[in-house]
Amino acid sequence: MTGQFITFEGIDGSGKTTISQEVYIRLQKKNRDIILTREPTDTWRGSMIAKAIEENCNPLTIALTFMADRSEHVIQIRKWLEKKSVVLCDRYMDSTFAYQTAQLSPYMKNPLEWLQTIHHLFYLEPDITFLFIIEPQKALQRIKRKRSTFEKKDFLERVQKNYVALAKNDKRFIILDASLSIEELTKKCIDKISHIQ
Ligand code: TMP
């Protein structure tokens, strides 16, 4: 048996970070060998992404920095999985497919196809992807810190549409109503993860 690779996706303010942290704490209590990681990563590559966004770099540069970060992160994730760990990842490739497709659509004909082709070079498919769906206006109201350039209603609407389209074609997605309580959402995630073990 190898480990399990579980990803948490959704627009900014959807609550996926809170739930991934709760799931991590609960699974640790069950004595599972569990890792919680995130993208952008907490490395110089993640800092490079933050800088690219802050300096308003063009969407192509931003897309390439997210993918550079991931191509290294995947090497580490594979090592954890080989050790049979359960790896929880707060954002992963579907973030690129949803956000960068929305950003790149004025620049090229089929951004999703282009992004997916690049991912073939370092592809690692999650066992489960939890997708947290929320009304973008409500999601924005939940964000208390200074908003990033991505955190605008129209843009997040497009991003969420992209997420839903990805989920339609792929059984690994589990769609969750992000307006449920933390307890309900955490329980749903734990139940699903236990189911595949
Ligand atoms: P975070 O708020 O979850 O840390 O993510 C940072 C921002 O980066 C968030 O607005 C989503 C965005 N993002 C992308 O646009 N593409 C990606 O591939 C990833 C991982 C994040």
Side-chain angles (χ1 to χ4, degrees):
M1 188 176 107
T2 61
Q4 269 97 38
F5 183 29
I6 318 289
T7 59
F8 294 76
E9 295 281 359
I11 59 173
D12 302 79
S14 63
K16 56 169 186 47
T17 300
T18 305
I19 305 302
S20 62
Q21 288 167 350
E22 276 299 313
V23 170
Y24 174 68
I25 291 165
R26 306 264 178 109
L27 288 180
Q28 261 190 333
K29 283 186 189 152
K30 287 185 175 188
N31 282 332
R32 290 300 317 252
D33 177 5
I34 178 136
I35 305 281
L36 176 61
T37 185
R38 68 185 293 270
E39 291 188 6
T41 60
D42 294 319
T43 64
W44 65 267
R45 301 183 309 274
S47 308
M48 174 180 71
I49 294 169
K51 189 97 182 126
I53 294 172
E54 186 192 307
E55 292 198 351
N56 227 355
C57 284
N58 76 71
L60 195 56
T61 304
I62 289 175
L64 291 167
T65 53
F66 276 120
M67 292 189 287
D69 187 31
R70 184 162 308 121
S71 77
E72 288 296 324
H73 194 204
V74 162
I75 295 169
Q76 176 63 65
I77 295 171
R78 282 189 199 281
K79 286 183 189 159
W80 285 323
L81 293 175
E82 276 160 21
K83 288 187 183 162
K84 303 189 184 1
S85 301
V86 176
V87 179
L88 308 179
C89 191
D90 178 3
R91 291 201 184 281
Y92 181 61
M93 64 178 184
D94 300 301
S95 285
T96 299
F97 299 154
Y99 280 77
Q100 274 61 60
T101 294
Q103 273 205 304
L104 287 167
S105 46
Y107 291 80
M108 59 176 83
K109 237 188 184 168
N110 193 339
L112 180 60
E113 193 179 277
W114 181 75
L115 293 163
Q116 287 178 332
T117 302
I118 294 178
H119 276 77
H120 288 156
L121 300 167
F122 49 90
Y123 192 75
L124 177 64
E125 173 144 323
D127 295 291
I128 298 179
T129 297
F130 293 113
L131 174 57
F132 294 76
I133 296 290
I134 184 168
E135 225 273 283
Q137 190 59 48
K138 274 191 196 150
L140 285 171
Q141 283 161 4
R142 283 180 175 187
I143 300 169
K144 299 284 178 263
R145 56 176 162 70
K146 186 174 173 280
R147 288 182 189 173
S148 81
T149 49
F150 291 151
E151 292 166 351
K152 298 195 179 84
K153 186 169 167 275
D154 292 357
F155 182 72
L156 292 183
E157 265 165 11
R158 283 193 287 138
V159 171
Q160 185 151 272
K161 263 191 199 149
N162 291 342
Y163 268 130
V164 170
L166 289 165
K168 257 190 198 150
N169 298 323
D170 204 328
K171 283 196 184 132
R172 75 181 151 85
F173 279 91
I174 292 168
I175 293 188
L176 296 168
D177 173 357
S179 67
L180 294 177
S181 70
I182 294 175
E183 183 55 37
E184 284 169 304
L185 287 166
T186 305
K187 192 173 174 309
K188 278 178 192 284
C189 293
I190 302 257
D191 285 351
K192 283 287 172 191
I193 295 169
S194 312
H195 197 69
I196 61 159
Q197 280 160 14

